[in-house]
Amino acid sequence: MHTDAVHQSQFVLLNNSSTPVLSRLSFHVDEPYAVTVSFRTERGRWVEWTFARELLAAGLTDPAGLGDVRVRPDLSEDEAMLTLEIESPDGYASFELEREDVESFLESTYDLVPLGSESEYFDIEALIEEISNV
């Protein structure tokens, strides 16, 4: 059986809260440069952020990201955790993710699209058509 996507769910802590929030990391072969992190809200809806897979990988060892999404291995007191910071005009949130879960997720994405071979899976013609039809 062949799959073209990887999804991994986990509970994360939001802004040092003691109540965990359900999150989901997703990767799709047709968007080989990107990963999506989704958070379940109180009303059962999902809030999604899409950013570079490379940013998530770089954040495993060093602070990564300068814009709306940043991954920081240095902000958590526990070395087994990573901090994901998300910022928008509407606000700021930080989440703690288990490093091992992120590593496992990334390895699964590399099984589908090896790091450095993203351009072989990216359909630029389909993107142009999608943008043109908006």
Side-chain angles (χ1 to χ4, degrees):
M1 181 175 151
H2 178 72
T3 182
D4 63 352
V6 175
H7 303 283
Q8 178 181 307
S9 296
Q10 64 180 294
F11 284 100
V12 297
L13 297 177
L14 167 63
N15 295 335
N16 299 319
S17 170
S18 60
T19 304
V21 174
L22 183 60
S23 74
R24 179 179 60 220
L25 285 167
S26 301
F27 173 81
H28 297 273
V29 170
D30 60 348
E31 294 182 15
Y33 292 101
V35 295
T36 299
V37 62
S38 307
F39 303 98
R40 183 100 186 235
T41 67
E42 293 174 358
R43 295 183 177 91
R45 295 178 23 207
W46 290 88
V47 175
E48 296 183 339
W49 286 78
T50 301
F51 57 97
R53 176 173 71 157
E54 186 177 333
L55 173 72
L56 187 59
L60 288 171
T61 56
D62 295 304
L66 299 172
D68 296 344
V69 179
R70 297 175 296 279
V71 182
R72 303 284 306 264
D74 59 337
L75 290 183
S76 179
E77 294 177 14
D78 185 347
E79 289 184 14
M81 305 299 279
L82 296 172
T83 299
L84 173 65
E85 297 178 296
I86 298 176
E87 194 168 356
S88 78
D90 295 327
Y92 168 86
S94 68
F95 301 86
E96 286 195 328
L97 306 168
E98 291 190 34
R99 177 188 303 274
E100 186 175 306
D101 289 343
V102 173
E103 290 171 342
S104 173
F105 170 76
L106 285 171
E107 286 300 320
S108 295
T109 72
Y110 299 153
D111 289 343
L112 294 177
V113 178
L115 197 59
S117 68
E118 293 89 351
S119 63
E120 297 171 29
Y121 295 82
F122 187 68
D123 187 351
I124 189 69
E125 297 298 326
L127 177 62
I128 291 170
E129 183 176 330
E130 180 182 334
I131 292 171
S132 299
N133 291 327
V134 173

